[in-house]
Amino acid sequence: DSGTTFAKDALQKYIDSGELPGAISVFYKDGVQETACLGYADVAAKRPITLDDHFMQCSQTKGFCGVTVAILVEEGKISLDDPVSKYLPEFATLWVAAENGQDARRLVKAKNVLTVRNVMNHTGGFEFEFPNAQSMGGWSRRMPLRSVAAAAAAYPILFEPGTQVKYSNVGIDIGAAIVEVVSGQRWEDFLKARVLGPLGMDDTGFWPTD
């Protein structure tokens, strides 16, 4: 135990003001650790936050997707410079939104090939999220990744692949769909078998039960 309170000193004022319901912080260096559980897991019930509480990972899952893609790259089953259409044929022809007017949109056929690298490093030209994401179930979408990829292919992209950067949930979903096609498994099953299980991350999963 470090005996320090760096996290508490920095975060407590936000919890006291109601800006932050609760937070867990773990600092570790050279065998010395500071752990802080601050605020509430359930504000209404005043239930304190604990190290055993489950949390939504949100965009940290992008790193997990990157690991699953990297595994298949190391095994020679995927190349980052492969066209996405090699695995998901619906991406063979893409359209770029060249002009957006009040009543019309002009599209031009994309010249650059969309690669696995593009969808994983946010240079594919995809929106951050689907325009109708809420009607599709929000961020989780509640639909198979293969269907998510098919829907993404139907939307015009914002720029030629590889020419700009735009942070995108959609691109990472396309990467996960490629993992499913190549591995023959649902992405969350591949993740559990090849990443979470070997690391002993027994409390981490794609569909939490509690």
Side-chain angles (χ1 to χ4, degrees):
D1 185 353
S2 66
T4 58
T5 58
F6 294 117
K8 185 176 187 299
D9 295 343
L11 298 175
Q12 190 64 53
K13 61 182 178 181
Y14 299 104
I15 293 171
D16 292 342
S17 69
E19 293 181 69
L20 185 66
I24 289 177
S25 171
V26 179
F27 297 147
Y28 180 89
K29 182 179 180 181
D30 300 331
V32 179
Q33 181 169 306
E34 174 190 298
T35 302
C37 295
L38 308 168
Y40 302 101
D42 186 329
V43 176
K46 297 297 182 183
R47 182 171 68 82
I49 205 165
T50 73
L51 285 171
D52 292 328
D53 285 311
H54 285 176
F55 293 84
M56 181 183 287
Q57 292 292 311
C58 296
S59 285
Q60 291 183 35
T61 58
K62 291 180 173 65
F64 284 99
C65 184
V67 170
T68 59
V69 170
I71 287 172
L72 295 176
V73 169
E74 288 183 342
E75 293 177 350
K77 298 175 181 177
I78 291 176
S79 168
L80 291 177
D81 295 316
D82 281 342
V84 171
S85 59
K86 177 178 178 180
Y87 309 100
L88 303 170
E90 60 265 36
F91 286 94
T93 299
L94 291 173
W95 296 90
V96 181
E99 295 177 9
N100 286 317
Q102 183 175 355
D103 300 315
R105 170 182 288 183
R106 186 171 73 87
L107 306 179
V108 297
K109 189 175 180 180
K111 298 176 182 178
N112 294 351
V113 174
L114 178 70
T115 66
V116 177
R117 188 187 305 274
N118 293 149
V119 298
M120 294 305 298
N121 70 6
H122 305 286
T123 62
F126 297 96
E127 297 268 9
F128 166 69
E129 191 51 90
F130 287 114
N132 61 340
Q134 290 306 312
S135 66
M136 300 169 74
W139 286 351
S140 66
R141 304 207 194 84
R142 301 184 182 89
M143 56 192 292
L145 281 167
R146 191 65 178 75
S147 298
V148 172
Y155 282 101
I157 56 179
L158 302 178
F159 49 82
E160 284 281 349
T163 63
Q164 299 181 45
V165 177
K166 182 173 178 60
Y167 187 79
S168 173
N169 288 343
V170 177
I172 302 300
D173 288 335
I174 294 168
I178 291 172
V179 171
E180 289 195 337
V181 170
V182 174
S183 69
Q185 295 178 272
R186 288 168 59 117
W187 181 77
E188 56 266 35
D189 294 337
F190 184 86
L191 177 70
K192 182 176 181 179
R194 301 297 303 275
V195 181
L196 303 181
L199 289 175
M201 298 176 67
D202 298 329
D203 294 325
T204 303
F206 198 74
W207 301 112
T209 56
D210 55 14

